[in-house]
Amino acid sequence: MTESPKPAVLPVTVRATSGWLVGAAAAALAHGHLEGLKAAGIIGDFLHDIPAGEQDADFHIRWPVADDVPVRVRLTVRDVPEQGSFRYELTAETARPWDGAWPPPLPLFGPPDLLRAICDPSTVARFTQPNPVPRTAGMRDWLRETSASPSSIGVLVHDGEGATFSDARLLEGLPPGLMGRVLEYRVFGAQRQSVNRLLQSTGVKLPAGGALLLPSRPTGSAINAETLAAKGDVTRDPAPLFDAVLRYASEPRPTGGRALDRVHHLRTASLAGSDGERLSRTQATLEEQRLRREAPTARHAEEQALTRTFGGAFEDALRATRGAEDRERTATGELRDARARFAALATTVRSRALAAALHTVGRCLQAAERDAEAGAELLDAQTVEIVHLRSRPAAPRPASARALTAVVPNNWEELAHQARHACVHLVLADITETTHPLRGHPLEQVWIRRTWQTLATLNSYAAAKTAHGPRLLPHLAAYLRWPDAATLFPATRHAPRESARLMASPRLHEARCFPVPRTIHPSGRVFMGEHVRIGSGRPPAPRLHLYDDTGGRTGQIHIGYIGTHLPSLRTN
């Protein structure tokens, strides 16, 4: 049997952390905070670098942590406006092993106003407050992700008497150097039995009223089941738990290729230093390159596992889907070019000599439209196949979820009737008049099927968001990428917003405002820029416009319009 490669560990001279912070304008906040540190003499100097063509903002910092110990720090932030947060990566290295008495880098360099909302990059759990343990249905996935998190220590605290969740953090007394590394989870009452059943294979167990450090994979050499558990009532006497956390945190930290990449960038892009620093940096770079050769590639292992499980079917389906998307994009581009040529000839035709050429272009246009529609049909088929392959290793879907996509309505009236009875998370407007121009079209049945597939996906998304919360599924685009999605339509058909130029036109903006309950907006109307392409770009080019209120008062998705393409800049 082949022995698994040993994981690389971070050098003892390095401190590295990463995660999410809730807020905005991260680069400006970080720059202003560093200017204050520089004026106070806490740091020596820093450079603010924005790489060309990227959204990252890099800060290279020189920090004299002690009289003769300079520290090189690299802080990278990236704004994610659609989620109202930003991602940070902080890497610090010194010329000698890190001293636990030194101040921790994250509380020093992170903007103070945002540190209260720091989140783990793998699980999106918050470091600054206790996190609830999911219900039994999602507990197995949560436990796998938490145990595999390379940059954090998960601590389970059993509260046998607590009836409600509290924001009071038990681990508040840990040293500041562990900020951004220790995640606290509360396990209430009988949840402990479910957690211990899932932990049987690891050889550890959460004691009643006590606490447990989740073993990472692989665990340190000096770690065993006894040192991971803290027995007794840790809410009254947390000292044994603090000792266990400090002992576990002192073990070498397994790491992967991304953390080593950050160390490499720190060493190659730091502020210029002395000859001794450059020599130490060169030696550290050679050591880091050796570690990178030994570091296992988790993604490669995951792909190998999928290959063994599905016998290559999953990869074949993914390749076919990518190919279908490429063909659809190519066909759409050819269709756009053919339309442009057709329009140019139509405006310049003045004699019978051009009639033959115009007829030829018309035939090319029809062929391009057929190719585009064929590409869209192939993409539909591949999307169904992906959902089928995803569902094979999981638990059977509820009968209601299967029935919603199995029976396709025959006409628009039947579609509206079924949607209002089966899609409990949707509010569908009256589509009798708006779908009238679509009736009798050769592609009407294709559009009805795609509309039904879209409604089923929207209903599944709203149900999943209710079950798992907005942190996992903040919007429809996230659901379309979610591996556990029960129903899907191709993500290439989804447009989360309209263009800024269209929004600037009052007439086009008003054409996309549709009725909603006054609990959503006092006027009874909202702008529905988010839409789904039901047909191709050829008129009537049907579209479905929606307003996502799954995170609002109604908790539903409001379908305001199904019909021909609304007025746009091209038809203005």
Side-chain angles (χ1 to χ4, degrees):
M1 181 176 180
T2 304
E3 184 179 356
S4 299
K6 294 182 179 180
V9 297
L10 281 177
V12 295
T13 58
V14 172
R15 285 293 182 269
T17 183
S18 63
W20 292 89
L21 289 173
V22 178
L29 288 173
H31 189 279
H33 181 61
L34 292 175
E35 286 284 6
L37 294 177
K38 180 179 177 181
I42 298 176
I43 64 175
D45 199 1
F46 73 93
L47 291 177
H48 185 180
D49 180 28
I50 302 178
E54 298 186 11
Q55 298 178 355
D56 292 352
D58 286 345
F59 297 91
H60 302 280
I61 309 162
R62 183 185 295 279
W63 174 32
V65 68
D67 292 339
D68 59 342
V69 184
V71 179
R72 296 182 303 275
V73 183
R74 180 173 183 255
L75 174 63
T76 301
V77 294
R78 168 176 287 185
D79 279 307
V80 187
E82 61 270 19
Q83 297 185 14
S85 62
F86 67 88
R87 183 177 177 87
Y88 73 91
E89 291 179 344
L90 190 147
T91 311
E93 184 177 27
T94 182
R96 73 185 194 190
W98 200 273
D99 190 337
W102 295 342
L106 181 59
L108 179 62
F109 297 115
D113 294 339
L114 301 178
L115 288 178
R116 64 182 182 275
I118 179 174
C119 298
D120 177 60
S122 301
T123 62
V124 201
R126 295 202 174 188
F127 288 103
T128 53
Q129 66 186 40
N131 298 276
V133 173
R135 296 179 179 178
T136 306
M139 189 178 293
R140 186 181 300 275
D141 292 339
W142 161 81
L143 186 61
R144 181 177 62 251
E145 293 172 358
T146 304
S147 300
S149 180
S151 60
S152 62
I153 301 172
V155 179
L156 305 183
V157 179
H158 180 231
D159 188 348
E161 299 178 357
T164 59
F165 187 76
S166 172
D167 287 338
R169 189 167 183 259
L170 179 63
L171 298 175
E172 196 66 40
L174 286 173
L178 292 179
M179 182 176 187
R181 193 178 173 193
V182 181
L183 291 169
E184 179 180 336
Y185 293 94
R186 291 293 174 86
V187 180
F188 292 99
Q191 273 189 320
R192 187 176 72 92
Q193 284 76 18
S194 300
V195 170
N196 283 337
R197 279 196 299 270
L198 295 175
L199 288 172
Q200 284 180 350
S201 61
T202 65
V204 297
K205 184 167 63 174
L206 173 62
L212 174 71
L213 278 67
L214 286 176
S216 60
R217 296 193 297 267
T219 59
S221 57
I223 299 299
N224 55 55
E226 293 298 325
T227 60
L228 292 175
K231 299 180 180 179
D233 191 351
V234 295
T235 60
R236 291 186 172 87
D237 182 18
L241 175 58
F242 288 178
D243 292 341
V245 172
L246 292 173
R247 188 167 49 246
Y248 191 84
S250 65
E251 287 293 307
R253 296 173 58 182
T255 187
R258 181 166 180 82
L260 294 177
D261 283 341
R262 288 155 49 192
V263 175
H264 174 74
H265 287 307
L266 172 67
R267 292 169 176 171
T268 56
S270 294
L271 295 168
S274 64
D275 293 340
E277 288 180 350
R278 286 194 291 270
L279 177 59
S280 298
R281 190 156 58 245
T282 302
Q283 293 172 343
T285 301
L286 293 175
E287 175 66 13
E288 177 258 340
Q289 290 175 352
R290 182 186 67 81
L291 291 175
R292 286 173 59 84
R293 289 194 295 268
E294 297 176 356
T297 305
R299 180 172 179 82
H300 176 71
E302 181 181 353
E303 291 176 352
Q304 291 296 321
L306 284 174
T307 302
R308 289 192 296 270
T309 302
F310 297 108
F314 192 79
E315 285 77 6
D316 292 342
L318 284 176
R319 282 194 294 271
T321 300
R322 295 189 187 104
E325 291 177 347
D326 292 340
R327 285 191 290 273
E328 184 187 24
R329 282 192 289 267
T330 301
T332 301
E334 293 176 352
L335 176 60
R336 189 183 300 109
D337 294 341
R339 282 183 181 148
R341 293 195 299 269
F342 186 85
L345 285 175
T347 57
T348 57
V349 61
R350 292 294 183 270
S351 64
R352 296 177 61 89
L354 292 176
L358 189 61
H359 179 67
T360 301
V361 173
R363 286 187 299 176
C364 293
L365 176 61
Q366 293 175 357
E369 290 170 344
R370 287 194 298 269
D371 290 342
E373 193 62 40
E377 288 294 303
L378 180 58
L379 186 56
D380 281 343
Q382 293 300 327
T383 302
V384 172
E385 180 65 13
I386 287 292
V387 174
H388 173 68
L389 287 173
R390 283 178 176 173
S391 65
R392 286 168 60 180
R397 302 287 182 188
S400 60
R402 295 195 299 270
L404 190 59
T405 56
V407 180
V408 178
N410 295 316
N411 51 57
W412 296 105
E413 288 77 13
E414 187 176 337
L415 180 143
H417 177 77
Q418 292 187 20
R420 293 189 177 99
H421 286 78
C423 301
V424 296
H425 298 282
L426 306 184
V427 178
L428 180 63
D430 185 1
I431 61 172
T432 305
E433 294 298 327
T434 58
T435 56
H436 183 75
L438 309 179
R439 302 171 191 269
H441 194 280
L443 296 176
E444 181 184 10
Q445 290 303 313
V446 174
W447 296 338
I448 291 175
R449 173 172 54 79
R450 290 181 185 166
T451 303
W452 183 244
Q453 181 189 34
T454 300
L455 295 177
T457 301
L458 294 175
N459 190 68
S460 298
Y461 153 60
K465 186 171 183 177
T466 301
H468 299 283
R471 181 175 294 176
L472 177 65
L473 300 172
H475 40 65
L476 177 59
Y479 176 80
L480 295 177
R481 299 190 302 267
W482 188 39
D484 293 335
T487 312
L488 284 177
F489 61 79
T492 54
R493 296 204 184 114
H494 176 233
R497 64 185 65 84
E498 296 285 8
S499 67
R501 290 183 59 202
L502 186 145
M503 295 278 289
S505 169
R507 184 179 69 87
L508 300 181
H509 185 280
E510 179 60 26
R512 287 158 176 78
C513 291
F514 300 101
V516 293
R518 294 188 181 273
T519 54
I520 296 179
H521 195 279
S523 68
R525 293 171 62 84
V526 295
F527 175 77
M528 299 190 184
E530 185 172 6
H531 61 277
V532 180
R533 294 189 298 112
I534 303 302
S536 64
R538 179 186 182 185
R543 299 290 188 265
L544 181 150
H545 285 256
L546 62 103
Y547 179 77
D548 186 352
D549 193 44
T550 52
R553 293 186 176 182
T554 66
Q556 295 175 304
I557 298 176
H558 297 261
I559 313 298
Y561 177 85
I562 300 177
T564 60
H565 199 301
L566 294 172
S568 65
L569 295 169
R570 294 182 179 179
T571 60
N572 189 6

